[in-house]
């Protein structure tokens, strides 16, 4: 009979919780005095082109949900690209390898139009449930696949669902990535520490408050409809931008073609771009460019 019960969190030794907290941490801040061209603030727009992998990742086979994924490719991405082109703005698209294989022409177009493509897992798997070898294999293959399709080796990653395993950072280090954009310890860029040691990897932080999905998704079979009106989402994003501008920091947004791409929501992206353009000294940049600038020019 095994009498040895697993200790509860309140019974943990100090060393145990210190080790958990200290494994992946924010190190020094990468905050430049000025952004490129003397800009006061950087605006980094990102779009996670999950498409059909949102259904496939959990083993789902729903034809309806797969069609929603296809909308992201047929309507969402083209509408977003048209808008970005109208304002001459470059953004970053994070694409799971399976979505890139399903929609290779889309990825080639995104890169041809001057945008960045970053790693977003293989099939939008959760890293924290994978053994180390499987996670490593999928991330390496995802990077190879994106490079084969677009001709450009990705230098940054957004882990699917921002899910991070205890091994993720070491794998990113092994892959020699410039940056990660999955964690939340700041609003400025910072250096990631692994067990207290500097990794040289830049974190370009995300947050749910700057993610369209939390405001617009719903559960089909529950009466709860947690929709925030699109105008309210614009207001939240604009306030995020305004304070970033005041502080001389970064306004980073995470959006999804199958969520923000709709006729009644795309104005949010356009209004943010127009609002930022009106300031006159905002640097619109890809996540790669923001991370590289922040690291190189940190004050
Ligand atoms: Zn995603």
């Amino acid at each position: 009979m095994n009498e040895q019960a697993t200790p509860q969190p309140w019974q943990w030794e100090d060393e145990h919780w210190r080790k958990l907290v200290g494994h992946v941490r924010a190190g020094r801040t990468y905050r430049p005095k000025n952004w490129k061209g003397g800009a006061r603030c950087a605006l980094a727009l990102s779009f996670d082109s999950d498409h059909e992998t949102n259904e496939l990742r959990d083993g789902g086979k729903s034809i309806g949900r797969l069609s929603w994924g296809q909308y992201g490719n047929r309507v969402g991405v083209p509408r977003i690209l048209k808008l970005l082109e109208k304002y001459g703005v470059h953004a970053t698209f994070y694409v799971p390898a399976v979505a890139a294989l399903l929609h290779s022409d889309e990825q080639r177009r995104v890169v041809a139009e001057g945008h960045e493509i970053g790693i977003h897992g293989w099939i939008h798997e959760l890293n924290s449930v994978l053994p180390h070898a499987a996670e490593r294999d999928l991330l390496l293959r995802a990077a190879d696949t994106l490079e084969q399709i677009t001709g450009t080796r990705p230098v940054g990653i957004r882990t699917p669902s921002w899910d991070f395993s205890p091994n993720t950072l070491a794998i990113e280090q092994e892959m020699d990535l410039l940056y990660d954009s999955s964690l939340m310890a700041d609003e400025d860029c910072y250096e990631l520490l692994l067990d207290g040691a500097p990794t040289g990897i830049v974190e370009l932080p995300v947050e749910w408050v700057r993610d369209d999905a939390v405001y617009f998704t719903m559960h089909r079979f529950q009466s709860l409809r947690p929709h925030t009106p699109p105008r309210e989402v614009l207001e939240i994003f604009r306030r995020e931008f305004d304070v970033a501008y005041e502080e001389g920091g970064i306004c980073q947004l995470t959006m999804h073609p199958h969520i923000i791409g709709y006729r009644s929501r795309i104005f949010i992206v356009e209004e943010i771009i127009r609002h930022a353009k009106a300031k006159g000294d905002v640097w619109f940049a890809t996540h790669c460019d923001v991370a590289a600038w922040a690291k190189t020019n940190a004050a």
Side-chain angles (χ1 to χ4, degrees):
M1 214 163 76
N2 185 6
E3 292 289 335
Q4 222 174 2
T6 310
Q8 297 295 322
W10 57 89
Q11 299 167 318
W12 286 346
E13 300 290 340
D14 291 6
E15 192 191 340
H16 183 72
W17 50 254
R18 280 193 191 283
K19 196 164 181 251
L20 283 180
V21 170
H23 183 47
V24 174
R25 269 325 234 184
R28 65 182 176 133
T29 303
Y30 286 134
R31 180 162 191 159
K33 254 202 194 104
N34 283 305
W35 295 97
K36 197 171 181 184
R40 180 186 174 95
C41 163
L43 178 58
L45 302 176
S46 63
F47 301 92
D48 296 1
S49 302
D50 301 332
H51 300 344
E52 292 88 345
T53 65
N54 268 340
E55 177 64 3
L56 297 172
R57 65 183 173 191
D58 298 321
K61 300 166 195 160
S62 158
I63 290 169
R65 286 181 56 85
L66 290 170
S67 78
W68 186 28
Q70 193 174 15
Y71 174 91
N73 162 258
R74 285 172 70 94
V75 183
V77 170
R79 188 168 279 153
I80 289 163
L81 289 176
K82 196 175 157 198
L83 184 64
L84 296 176
E85 194 192 3
K86 180 177 169 187
Y87 292 95
V89 168
H90 288 147
T92 300
F93 291 74
Y94 295 97
V95 190
V98 166
L101 288 164
L102 283 165
H103 309 288
S104 297
D105 287 348
E106 174 190 295
Q107 313 322 318
R108 285 188 278 267
R109 181 180 165 196
V110 163
V111 168
E113 296 188 10
H115 307 292
E116 177 196 3
I117 289 190
I119 301 163
H120 199 45
W122 180 258
I123 195 165
H124 216 287
E125 65 281 0
L126 291 179
N127 288 319
S128 62
V129 302
L130 296 175
H132 177 225
E135 181 183 0
R136 181 179 176 277
D137 172 58
L138 291 171
L139 289 179
L140 293 176
R141 275 202 287 145
D144 290 346
T145 302
L146 294 179
E147 184 178 9
Q148 280 156 17
I149 290 170
T150 65
T152 307
R153 183 87 182 164
V155 300
I157 183 170
R158 169 164 297 154
T159 59
S161 306
W162 301 339
D163 183 56
F164 227 80
S165 87
N167 301 309
T168 305
L169 184 54
I171 297 169
E172 293 180 1
Q173 230 180 344
E174 182 189 342
M175 293 171 77
D176 206 18
L177 295 180
L178 167 69
Y179 78 94
D180 177 273
S181 184
S182 323
L183 298 174
M184 317 185 176
D186 206 322
E187 285 149 332
D188 287 315
C189 286
Y190 58 86
E191 181 174 28
L192 286 166
L193 306 181
L194 183 58
D195 294 321
T199 62
I201 297 178
V202 181
E203 177 60 41
L204 204 178
V206 293
E207 223 297 313
W208 295 110
V209 77
R210 297 188 307 272
D211 184 326
D212 61 352
V214 294
Y215 303 112
F216 294 131
T217 44
M218 63 161 187
H219 193 292
R220 169 70 181 83
F221 296 109
Q222 287 174 356
S223 56
L224 189 66
R225 291 286 181 270
H227 285 241
T228 313
R231 285 228 145 263
E232 294 293 313
V233 177
L234 170 62
E235 181 64 14
I236 295 167
F237 286 0
R238 194 160 41 200
R239 284 172 184 270
E240 286 286 327
F241 170 82
D242 285 344
V243 180
Y245 182 81
E246 268 174 45
E247 295 179 350
I250 303 163
C251 177
Q252 181 279 339
L253 297 176
T254 298
M255 295 168 284
H256 300 77
H258 67 286
I259 294 174
I260 203 79
Y262 288 90
R263 289 167 172 161
S264 58
R265 297 177 184 163
I266 192 72
F267 80 95
I268 296 170
V269 188
E270 182 157 18
E271 287 298 313
I272 286 292
I273 293 174
R274 286 159 58 98
H275 183 65
K277 286 251 170 194
K279 300 277 187 193
D281 52 355
V282 175
W283 182 39
F284 291 77
T286 62
H287 282 44
C288 163
D289 288 347
V290 170
W293 184 272
K295 187 178 180 181
T296 312
N297 298 282

